[in-house]
């Protein structure tokens, strides 16, 4: 079955798509930033594979509510969580370079590379996954609107976005059905704006 076949057959059936991806062998991972509605993808995959590695690139710049939510949902679902952090702590970085640069600051690309892209690439090198589950949604950005639920990225990873075509209403109803927590006090300084890419999904 080709990737096009998979997208045609399972692209609008998130649970079936997760099942198919888990049957591909090798090591699957789920990446998360514990933003709003992230409990959906975490519950959906961990229900079928409870020990699936859940990879969090913690930039050090999350809100207190996001850290609290991360621990709450990890405990509630018994997640097998792996945390990858930048090589410098936030305190170290800010002591040398000051606050996180704004989007129009020429240092912003280097900031994003340090706190998000490098930890992600290190996670991929160290864990060597074959399947990557992500909670990307087509409504997030123009780039994501052009994606397919399943693709093979430049790393050779099978990239799976089961919730790509879900609405906020779909996600909310899933949370209610499964009694899952949510988090709306979230901010990502590498994106700055909701409809802007941070660069991770452009490179990978």
């Amino acid at each position: 079955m080709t990737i096009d076949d998979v997208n045609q057959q399972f692209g609008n059936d998130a649970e079936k798509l997760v099942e198919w991806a888990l049957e591909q062998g090798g090591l699957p991972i789920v990446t998360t930033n514990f933003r709003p509605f992230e409990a959906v993808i975490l519950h959906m995959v961990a229900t079928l594979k409870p020990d699936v590695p859940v990879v969090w690139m913690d930039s050090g710049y999350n809100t207190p509510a996001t850290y609290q939510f991360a621990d709450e949902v990890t405990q509630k679902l018994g997640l097998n969580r792996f945390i990858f952090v930048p090589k410098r702590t936030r305190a170290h970085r800010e002591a040398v370079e000051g606050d996180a640069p704004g989007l129009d600051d020429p240092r912003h690309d280097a900031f994003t590379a340090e706190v998000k892209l490098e930890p992600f690439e290190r996670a991929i090198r160290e864990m060597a996954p074959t399947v990557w589950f992500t909670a990307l949604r087509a409504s997030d950005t123009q780039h994501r609107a052009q994606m397919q639920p399943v693709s093979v990225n430049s790393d050779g990873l099978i990239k799976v976005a089961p919730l790509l075509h879900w609405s906020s209403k779909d996600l909310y109803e899933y949370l209610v059905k499964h009694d899952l927590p949510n988090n709306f006090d979230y901010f990502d300084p590498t994106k700055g704006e909701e409809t802007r890419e941070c660069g991770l999904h452009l490179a990978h």
Side-chain angles (χ1 to χ4, degrees):
M1 184 180 290
T2 68
I3 295 298
D4 287 342
D5 292 335
V6 174
N7 282 312
Q8 185 172 357
Q9 188 167 346
F10 303 126
N12 291 310
D13 190 331
E15 284 89 350
K16 289 291 186 183
L17 187 53
V18 171
E19 289 177 8
W20 172 85
L22 291 174
E23 291 168 356
Q24 301 313 299
L27 176 70
I29 64 168
V30 186
T31 57
T32 183
N33 47 19
F34 294 103
R35 68 172 183 163
F37 299 115
E38 286 289 287
V40 175
I41 188 73
L42 298 172
H43 178 270
M44 191 176 289
V45 179
T47 295
L48 293 175
K49 186 171 177 57
D51 63 344
V52 66
V54 172
V55 177
W56 181 23
M57 281 71 67
D58 175 13
S59 67
Y61 287 81
N62 289 295
T63 65
T66 297
Y67 286 111
Q68 293 160 6
F69 170 70
D71 286 351
E72 179 185 5
V73 74
T74 296
Q75 182 175 8
K76 184 177 180 69
L77 299 179
L79 298 177
N80 183 22
R81 189 174 76 182
F82 294 79
I83 303 175
F84 286 80
V85 298
K87 292 183 177 180
R88 286 191 295 180
T89 63
R90 177 176 177 174
H92 182 173
R93 193 197 165 279
E94 290 188 343
V96 176
E97 300 186 39
D99 292 340
L103 298 181
D104 57 351
D105 190 311
R107 300 174 301 156
H108 191 269
D109 286 348
F111 168 74
T112 298
E114 177 178 356
V115 305
K116 180 173 281 189
L117 302 185
E118 189 283 327
F120 173 80
E121 289 160 1
R122 182 166 13 110
I124 295 300
R125 286 197 308 272
E126 292 182 7
M127 303 190 77
T130 53
V131 174
W132 169 21
F133 290 101
T134 172
L136 293 181
R137 292 170 59 204
S139 59
D140 288 340
T141 69
Q142 290 184 348
H143 173 71
R144 298 175 190 189
Q146 307 303 314
M147 293 176 60
Q148 294 290 333
V150 181
S151 60
V152 178
N153 71 6
S154 58
D155 307 295
L157 271 170
I158 300 174
K159 184 175 181 179
V160 185
L163 310 177
L164 189 66
H165 300 305
W166 282 36
S167 67
S168 294
K169 181 175 182 289
D170 295 329
L171 296 167
Y172 173 75
E173 289 175 350
Y174 188 100
L175 293 181
V176 172
K177 178 181 178 181
H178 297 283
D179 189 28
L180 296 169
N182 207 357
N183 169 42
F184 286 108
D185 186 4
Y186 174 80
F187 178 71
D188 181 353
T190 67
K191 288 182 65 174
E193 301 168 356
E194 278 299 310
T195 58
R196 182 181 178 277
E197 287 286 352
C198 65
L200 193 155
H201 291 285
L202 295 175
H204 301 278

